[in-house]
Amino acid sequence: MNSIEFTVDTAIEAAEALQRTLASRTHRKKVMGREVTLPGQLGEALRLPAILAKLKSKQARRREDGLEDFQSLWPTLSPATLEKVLDEMDWYDPRQLDWDDKRSNKRPPLPDA
């Protein structure tokens, strides 16, 4: 799962899916005696908006920097988060499919472990 090689386009897709996944998480906090549900802030803490801005830049060097930043962030995510992101992107592991499944392989090829 951590051995996925991203291109700039796939990194943008994965970063946007990660941002949506992290934003969907909420936490409760007491404010003035009332319990309030707040949206997750982990995406901002991981600097996802800055990484996405670099990936979408018109300058090739900034896109490469964004790709490096995202590739260094990806392995640090939990397996559950990685699975949610890949599911949201509609990527799947072809080795887990039934023999008769007609779907094409949308996930980059994984080396045999």
Side-chain angles (χ1 to χ4, degrees), residues 40-52:
Q41 299 294 314
L42 188 53
E44 286 78 15
L46 294 174
R47 301 179 326 126
L48 269 177
I51 292 172
L52 271 168

Side-chain angles (χ1 to χ4, degrees), residues 1 16-19 24 26 29 50 52 69 83 85 103 106 111:
M1 185 93 50
E16 288 173 344
L18 177 60
Q19 194 169 34
S24 69
T26 60
K29 183 178 181 180
L52 271 168
D69 290 347
E83 199 59 41
V85 170
R103 290 180 286 179
K106 294 176 83 175

Side-chain angles (χ1 to χ4, degrees), residues 81-93:
T81 300
L82 293 175
E83 199 59 41
K84 285 181 183 179
V85 170
L86 293 175
D87 285 344
E88 184 166 331
M89 293 171 59
D90 199 26
W91 281 11
Y92 53 89
D93 188 351

Side-chain angles (χ1 to χ4, degrees), residues 16-113:
E16 288 173 344
L18 177 60
Q19 194 169 34
R20 287 189 299 271
T21 300
L22 295 177
S24 69
R25 296 178 179 176
T26 60
H27 61 277
R28 292 184 221 142
K29 183 178 181 180
K30 282 202 174 195
V31 177
M32 298 180 74
R34 288 189 157 180
E35 194 168 288
V36 179
T37 302
L38 300 172
Q41 299 294 314
L42 188 53
E44 286 78 15
L46 294 174
R47 301 179 326 126
L48 269 177
I51 292 172
L52 271 168
K54 286 181 183 179
L55 287 169
K56 293 179 179 180
S57 175
K58 291 182 180 181
Q59 298 176 356
R61 182 65 196 143
R62 282 188 46 85
R63 286 193 305 267
E64 291 301 319
D65 288 345
L67 183 59
E68 289 174 17
D69 290 347
F70 185 75
Q71 285 178 330
S72 65
L73 170 67
W74 185 256
T76 65
L77 301 172
S78 71
T81 300
L82 293 175
E83 199 59 41
K84 285 181 183 179
V85 170
L86 293 175
D87 285 344
E88 184 166 331
M89 293 171 59
D90 199 26
W91 281 11
Y92 53 89
D93 188 351
R95 292 177 280 185
Q96 294 176 347
L97 297 176
D98 292 332
W99 180 257
D100 297 327
D101 200 321
K102 301 290 185 197
R103 290 180 286 179
S104 64
N105 181 14
K106 294 176 83 175
R107 179 174 282 182
L110 300 173
D112 291 328

